[in-house]
Amino acid sequence: MAKKSYTLMVVSDHNSPVKRFHIQRSFLIQLGMGLVLVGGVALGATAHYFQVAKDAAENRILREENLTLRGQLKSVRERIEHIGSTLDRVERFDQKLRAMTLLSDPQRNLAMGPTEPGNTAPTTDTQFTQLSHSEVPGVLLGKLDKLSAEATRQEQSLQELQAYFQDQKSLLASTPSVWPARGWVTSDFGQRLDPYTAERVTHAGLDIAAPHGKEIHAPSDGTVVFAGLEGGYGNVIVIDHGYGIKTRYGHLAKMLVKAGDKVKRGALIAAVGNTGRSTGPHLHYEVRVNGIPQNPRKFILEE
C-alpha cells in the first residue's frame, strides 16, 4: 500500500511556475508529535520556573523572618540578662537587710551570719545571665519561667521585710521616747523613802515637779484606756501604746482626754496637778511593759 502523502502547492503572484511539495503523512505525524513534545517541555519548564521563582520569594521571606527572629531572640536574651542581673542585686540587698534585721529565709536556706566558702548557692546572675547565642525559644521560655519564679520569691521576701519594717515603724511610734512634761525629777525610779511613812518602798515611776497647770503631752502614739480617779494617785490617765507598753500619769489637775481616745506623740493630754496623795504639784509618770514597771529613763531619747 502506497504511503499516504499530502501535496503543498505554492503559487507565486508573478509568472513563476507553481511549486509543489509532497509531504508524507508520517512526517506530519512525527512533526506534530515533536511539536507536542516541545510544547510539553516548554510548559514544564515554565511551570518549573514559576515554582522556582515562588520558592525564591518564600525563601527571601523566610530569610527576612529569620533575621527578625534572631533580632527578637537577641533582645530577649539581653532582657533576660538584665532581669537576672537586677534580681541578683535585689537578692544581695535582701540578704543584707535580713542580716540587719536578723530575719532568716528558710525557703532559700539563708542563714544570718558568716558562710562557709564554696557552700553558697548559685545566684540569680550565674543562673540566668550566662546565655549562649544558640539559645532556642524553648530554652529561653524555661529561663523566663525560672526568672518568674525567682521574682515571685523576691516579691514575697520583700513583702516580709516591708511588714517587718512597718512593724518596727509602728513600734518606734509606740515607744514613749520623749518627756511627757518638763520639770525637775524629785523622785527617781526604784527604792526610796516614802514621804509620809519614811519607810523604804519601791517607786514605780518618776516624779516630775512642775508648776500647777503645766501641760502634759503624750510621749508616743497610743489609745487612752483609762481616765479617772485612782486612790492615792488622784486623777490618772493610762495610755496603751501596743506591744505590751502602757504609760500612767498621776496627780493630774485636768484630764483633757477620755477612755477610747486615740493620741499621737506630742498630743496634749492633761495638766500637772496635786490631786490624790501628793506633797505638791508634780506628775507621777510610769512605764509598764506587760504589766511590769520599767525605768522610764530607759525609753526617753531626748535630754
Side-chain angles (χ1 to χ4, degrees), residues 192-211:
R192 72 166 185 175
L193 294 177
D194 187 283
Y196 288 95
T197 64
E199 295 179 356
R200 183 165 294 277
V201 295
T202 300
H203 189 226
L206 298 178
D207 283 347
I208 304 172

Side-chain angles (χ1 to χ4, degrees), residues 204 233 244-248 286-294:
Y233 289 105
I245 302 173
K246 290 183 179 180
T247 53
R248 299 165 57 85
E286 291 184 16
V287 177
R288 293 177 180 253
V289 179
N290 297 322
I292 300 174
Q294 304 288 328

Side-chain angles (χ1 to χ4, degrees), residues 228-239:
L229 287 171
E230 187 180 292
Y233 289 105
N235 292 328
V236 171
I237 289 176
V238 179
I239 299 178

Side-chain angles (χ1 to χ4, degrees), residues 43-116:
L43 182 62
T46 302
H48 179 69
Y49 169 78
F50 283 111
Q51 183 63 39
V52 170
K54 180 181 178 182
D55 291 342
E58 291 179 350
N59 288 337
R60 179 176 57 81
I61 294 173
L62 289 175
R63 283 196 299 272
E64 293 176 353
E65 291 180 349
N66 190 31
L67 289 175
T68 302
L69 287 175
R70 285 184 180 179
Q72 292 176 348
L73 287 176
K74 181 181 178 182
S75 176
V76 169
R77 282 196 298 269
E78 291 174 350
R79 291 179 64 185
I80 289 177
E81 292 172 2
H82 176 71
I83 294 172
S85 299
T86 301
L87 284 176
D88 187 58
R89 290 195 300 271
V90 170
E91 182 171 357
R92 289 196 297 268
F93 185 59
D94 178 275
Q95 292 180 12
K96 290 181 181 179
L97 289 178
R98 288 181 176 276
M100 292 169 57
T101 58
L102 301 180
L103 289 176
S104 61
D105 189 351
Q107 186 175 4
R108 288 180 296 172
N109 196 27
L110 295 181
M112 298 304 102
T115 57
E116 294 294 333

Side-chain angles (χ1 to χ4, degrees), residues 7-302:
T7 301
L8 176 65
M9 298 178 65
V10 180
V11 180
S12 175
D13 292 337
H14 303 286
N15 293 328
S16 300
V18 176
K19 295 180 180 181
R20 293 179 175 81
F21 298 94
H22 296 280
I23 302 173
Q24 297 294 330
R25 182 180 180 185
S26 60
F27 174 76
L28 292 176
I29 293 174
Q30 292 174 359
L31 180 61
M33 293 177 63
L35 291 174
V36 170
L37 179 61
V38 170
V41 172
L43 182 62
T46 302
H48 179 69
Y49 169 78
F50 283 111
Q51 183 63 39
V52 170
K54 180 181 178 182
D55 291 342
E58 291 179 350
N59 288 337
R60 179 176 57 81
I61 294 173
L62 289 175
R63 283 196 299 272
E64 293 176 353
E65 291 180 349
N66 190 31
L67 289 175
T68 302
L69 287 175
R70 285 184 180 179
Q72 292 176 348
L73 287 176
K74 181 181 178 182
S75 176
V76 169
R77 282 196 298 269
E78 291 174 350
R79 291 179 64 185
I80 289 177
E81 292 172 2
H82 176 71
I83 294 172
S85 299
T86 301
L87 284 176
D88 187 58
R89 290 195 300 271
V90 170
E91 182 171 357
R92 289 196 297 268
F93 185 59
D94 178 275
Q95 292 180 12
K96 290 181 181 179
L97 289 178
R98 288 181 176 276
M100 292 169 57
T101 58
L102 301 180
L103 289 176
S104 61
D105 189 351
Q107 186 175 4
R108 288 180 296 172
N109 196 27
L110 295 181
M112 298 304 102
T115 57
E116 294 294 333
N119 291 339
T120 56
T123 63
T124 307
D125 182 66
T126 58
Q127 293 182 49
F128 300 118
T129 61
Q130 298 176 353
L131 304 176
S132 68
H133 292 285
S134 60
E135 298 284 9
V136 295
V139 175
L140 291 177
L141 287 175
K143 292 184 180 295
L144 285 174
D145 290 339
K146 291 180 180 179
L147 282 174
S148 177
E150 179 65 19
T152 300
R153 279 198 303 272
Q154 292 290 355
E155 181 183 19
Q156 293 173 348
S157 178
L158 292 177
Q159 286 176 349
E160 181 181 346
L161 286 171
Q162 180 188 29
Y164 172 82
F165 285 116
Q166 189 67 33
D167 189 60
Q168 292 301 303
K169 177 182 177 182
S170 177
L171 176 59
L172 288 174
S174 301
T175 301
S177 57
V178 298
W179 289 96
R182 285 297 185 176
W184 300 268
V185 177
T186 56
S187 184
D188 225 317
F189 177 86
Q191 295 292 318
R192 72 166 185 175
L193 294 177
D194 187 283
Y196 288 95
T197 64
E199 295 179 356
R200 183 165 294 277
V201 295
T202 300
H203 189 226
L206 298 178
D207 283 347
I208 304 172
H212 192 279
K214 178 76 173 181
E215 294 179 342
I216 300 173
H217 301 271
S220 60
D221 299 354
T223 303
V224 178
V225 294
F226 178 80
L229 287 171
E230 187 180 292
Y233 289 105
N235 292 328
V236 171
I237 289 176
V238 179
I239 299 178
D240 187 346
H241 303 279
Y243 303 95
I245 302 173
K246 290 183 179 180
T247 53
R248 299 165 57 85
Y249 313 83
H251 309 299
L252 307 176
K254 290 190 298 184
M255 296 180 290
L256 305 178
V257 292
K258 61 184 183 301
D261 286 351
K262 303 286 186 180
V263 295
K264 293 289 186 181
R265 177 180 282 126
L268 182 61
I269 60 172
V272 173
N274 194 30
T275 59
R277 188 166 170 258
S278 172
T279 57
H282 74 283
L283 168 66
H284 175 78
Y285 174 53
E286 291 184 16
V287 177
R288 293 177 180 253
V289 179
N290 297 322
I292 300 174
Q294 304 288 328
N295 188 347
R297 290 184 182 271
K298 294 195 306 182
F299 298 87
I300 298 174
L301 301 179
E302 61 182 11

